Amino acid sequence: MIFQEKIWNIKEYNKIKAKQLAEKLNISPLVAGILIERGFGDVKSAKNFIYGSEKPFNDPFLLKGMAKAVDRIELAISKGDQITIYGDYDVDGITASSLLYLYLKGRGGRVNTYIPNRKSEGYGLDAEALKHVSHGGTNLVITVDCGISAVTEVIGAPENMDIIITDHHTVPEQLPPAYAIINPKQKDCTYPFKELSGVGMAFKLCQALEKSSEWDKFIELVALGTVADIVSLIGENREIVRLGLKAMEKTKLPGLIALMDASGCPKENISSENISFVIAPRLNAVGRLEHAQLAVELLVTEDKDKAFKIASELNRENSIRQDISRSIQCEAEDLLAKEEHIDTAIVLGSKGWHAGVIGIVASRLVDKYHLPTILLSISGGIAKGSCRSIPALNMYDALAYVGDLLTQFGGHSQAAGLTLPEDKLAEFTVRFKEYVRKTVMPSDFLPKQEIDCIPDTAITMDVMNQINLLKPFGCSNAEPVFAFKNILIRNPRAIGKEKNHLRFTVYDGNTYKCVMWSKAGLLPFLCENSLVNMAFTLRINNCNDEMQFYAEDICFNGLVIGDYRRFRKKNELLQNIIRSTDGITVYVNDIKEYKGPKGANIALYGDVPINKTVVLYDLPKTPLRGIFRQFADVKIAILLYNGADKAVAMKSLEQSYPNRLRMVAAYKKMMEVLHGGSVDINSLDSSIISENAILIMEELGFITRNGDTINLGSIKKCSLEDSPLYCRLQQEGKQLATCYTENMCIREELLQWSN
């Protein structure tokens, strides 16, 4: 995707009400307005949101099945029965397993954990695994973050085994016949908050066993899993994360301390972003590449040396995971490059892809193309996939539509997993895309940018501190996004080791420093003093304690110009544009001479464009500023002609519009070949004696022509300027040379011409 602006949704709130709420809470009207817009418009709810509730947690016994589960667990503890906690290999499952293990062990229970191997056992309960733990003496299994769909596995479990399921995923029509099921999404469950994570459910179980809804020991683990699982950070989840982030700063868990040290996580003012981008990826990495049991061992160990060794190993695994994900993304892009057009959805599979990493790459492709994406790892005739969606498509429902082809599937509306036979993959792809095409409106494929407000005052450090009252940020409480309109971009440049980020300043009477992550591809569209609208978030730069703007989107005013005149592989770039853009017009000087990729409308300069996106493929022979004036209805113009095109054009110019030196060379060569008499015009070296040179010499009487035969004319002393054709060609040539030079002008001039 070369360039794609987002659709901005600028929210509006009642400024009078915001001012009134701000006065009552002694906060900024800006923050009060955001609270109102997010549904916290009265004093009590707004105060609880900002400062926390006096009673942050609901009674755990409101959860259906909780009382029965607690009685069974208490019995197991009192009898000394072996309890196995069966978890999942992501951060939510890892932290849930660790939390419940630490609690039950603290209660004197005989407890161990079992995390399935992602590659060999896959997600959820595994029949052979249940047999294995049964042979080890377990007669009570407690699932965390899994099990709600394991009907067959529970039915086939050993007879002497009771299974308690704690889960938070979507509840299927048929439930497993477990001893007890705790999931707030059950139809007849009266628990008031339905958005707890897997570790949140384990936390409620611990509270119930403790007989206290105020119990919050190990809440740093609950916060870690809650943020990592991207559940809504409102209600009980917000309280969990708020308290958990503070507890993380003072944690006594050796494993968590070692992990924070190894990852470079700050020890103070820890944010949900630190969890999402620093700590969680390292816990996830080991589950993706090796075995997540190692991560559980890290979080539950009391041995500092062991914790240090495991944390170092997780750091190493994360680096390997990053390398693998980059490689898979390159391969996925290569596969996409072979598709005629990228639309509706992306479904790709390969036998070489690591099943534990493809979900990360799927998320990146969704970010890039804004299409539902499924990537599959194929091995032994089985395809295991990770799915990521766009807001308009419920991925779980989409998979259910083709469920007859699937061996297994489960997950959420925006992320899911599936397994199917390899020989069903082609049919699955067709039917899945068919469902997406019928379900999602064309406008829903366009990325959206939510804007909380357009500030009407200068952004200051005091405003920044006020915005921090809304933390922790996350799902359903996103970091506030603001916007500037009609501001100037200055000094844009690529930064970073791979030059894939942008740094620039913006000016609206005040100057602000900006960074834009992973958007260096926008650089061809930016030039000094570009007038743009910009969506952004605000943070404090920990390196210098300065306020830092982070651009989320840049929206251009008027014609958007992408300047790729320094890009040499223009056919490769054009192929990408054609493949990922619905309808483009490619402008050339001669349609018959066009040798670029197919799939676009090819037009001559001067033709009226029929598409909103146009590509200037050949170096125009008319001034660019005039061409731009014809693009009244065009949104994006891509300049693909380059320095090589100019070199060819200038060489052709010398041929077609010979100057004095070339005429002297042509005259000498002509006299040389005519020394023996007449000559056939087709035998002449056209690189020295061009058609126009022949016409000029004929006009001056140096030669005569009879069809294709050239004869020697009268040799007389005269000036080249005596030839009207030569004079006219000199003028035309100079104009064309000036046009070519002007059309390769500096980017700032493009800005003036496009406005």
Side-chain angles (χ1 to χ4, degrees), residues 81 114 185 201 348 350 435 480 485 510-512 608 625 737:
D81 290 344
Y114 188 92
K185 294 175 182 175
M201 295 304 301
L348 301 172
S350 173
Y435 178 86
K485 285 195 170 183
N510 298 291
T511 299
Y512 304 105
V608 177
R625 67 182 76 194

Side-chain angles (χ1 to χ4, degrees), residues 93-142:
I94 290 167
T95 52
S97 300
S98 302
L99 171 71
L100 198 52
Y101 173 88
L102 288 170
Y103 176 81
L104 293 177
K105 184 181 179 184
R107 285 283 308 276
R110 289 181 59 220
V111 59
N112 59 20
T113 59
Y114 188 92
I115 305 294
N117 184 288
R118 180 191 288 262
K119 185 175 182 179
S120 61
E121 296 172 295
Y123 170 78
L125 286 175
D126 179 78
E128 291 302 316
L130 292 177
K131 292 178 183 178
H132 173 75
V133 299
S134 176
H135 291 157
T138 292
N139 55 17
L140 176 60
V141 169
I142 307 172

Side-chain angles (χ1 to χ4, degrees), residues 418-434:
L418 78 162
T419 305
L420 75 160
E422 181 184 0
D423 59 9
K424 300 287 187 182
L425 184 53
E427 183 182 355
F428 166 81
T429 302
V430 172
R431 288 178 54 189
F432 175 77
K433 288 187 176 182
E434 177 186 75

Side-chain angles (χ1 to χ4, degrees), residues 399-444:
L399 296 181
Y401 175 78
V402 290
D404 57 302
L405 297 176
L406 306 179
T407 306
Q408 185 183 37
F409 75 95
H412 306 287
S413 65
Q414 297 297 288
L418 78 162
T419 305
L420 75 160
E422 181 184 0
D423 59 9
K424 300 287 187 182
L425 184 53
E427 183 182 355
F428 166 81
T429 302
V430 172
R431 288 178 54 189
F432 175 77
K433 288 187 176 182
E434 177 186 75
Y435 178 86
V436 175
R437 193 175 293 109
K438 292 179 179 178
T439 306
V440 181
M441 298 293 292
S443 60
D444 291 329

Side-chain angles (χ1 to χ4, degrees), residues 466-479:
Q466 287 278 311
I467 292 169
N468 285 338
L469 292 173
L470 300 171
K471 288 184 174 182
F473 300 130
C475 181
S476 299
N477 182 45
E479 190 173 5

Side-chain angles (χ1 to χ4, degrees), residues 442-581:
S443 60
D444 291 329
F445 288 111
L446 299 175
K448 311 295 191 299
Q449 178 65 64
E450 300 294 325
I451 309 291
D452 287 276
C453 72
I454 298 175
D456 50 12
T457 58
I459 303 295
T460 64
M461 189 63 78
D462 182 59
V463 171
M464 178 75 252
N465 292 331
Q466 287 278 311
I467 292 169
N468 285 338
L469 292 173
L470 300 171
K471 288 184 174 182
F473 300 130
C475 181
S476 299
N477 182 45
E479 190 173 5
V481 178
F482 306 99
F484 283 142
K485 285 195 170 183
N486 299 319
I487 58 169
L488 295 175
I489 295 279
R490 290 180 174 170
N491 194 26
R493 61 193 185 281
I495 61 170
K497 183 179 179 180
E498 298 178 4
K499 298 297 181 183
N500 57 333
H501 309 303
L502 281 178
R503 185 185 298 280
F504 52 90
T505 59
V506 293
Y507 178 76
D508 71 339
N510 298 291
T511 299
Y512 304 105
K513 297 178 181 179
C514 297
V515 169
M516 196 170 191
W517 300 124
S518 304
K519 290 294 183 180
L522 278 179
L523 196 56
F525 296 88
L526 299 174
C527 60
E528 192 71 11
N529 291 320
S530 294
L531 190 65
V532 303
N533 303 329
M534 184 181 78
F536 62 92
T537 58
L538 293 166
R539 296 179 198 171
I540 299 296
N541 188 325
N542 293 328
C543 296
N544 52 25
D545 290 329
E546 289 184 354
M547 187 167 53
Q548 179 75 64
F549 284 58
Y550 292 89
E552 298 292 324
D553 187 42
I554 290 177
C555 181
F556 293 83
N557 296 317
L559 178 64
V560 181
I561 300 176
D563 185 5
Y564 289 88
R565 291 174 299 176
R566 294 185 179 181
F567 194 86
R568 293 184 178 182
K569 299 179 180 179
K570 67 177 188 177
N571 281 341
E572 179 181 310
L573 185 61
L574 180 55
Q575 184 65 68
N576 286 337
I577 298 172
I578 293 172
R579 193 171 58 250
S580 58
T581 305

Side-chain angles (χ1 to χ4, degrees), residues 588-595 602-604 607:
V588 298
N589 291 319
D590 188 336
I591 294 177
K592 293 180 180 180
E593 294 295 321
Y594 173 72
K595 293 182 174 57
I602 311 301
L604 292 173
D607 291 348

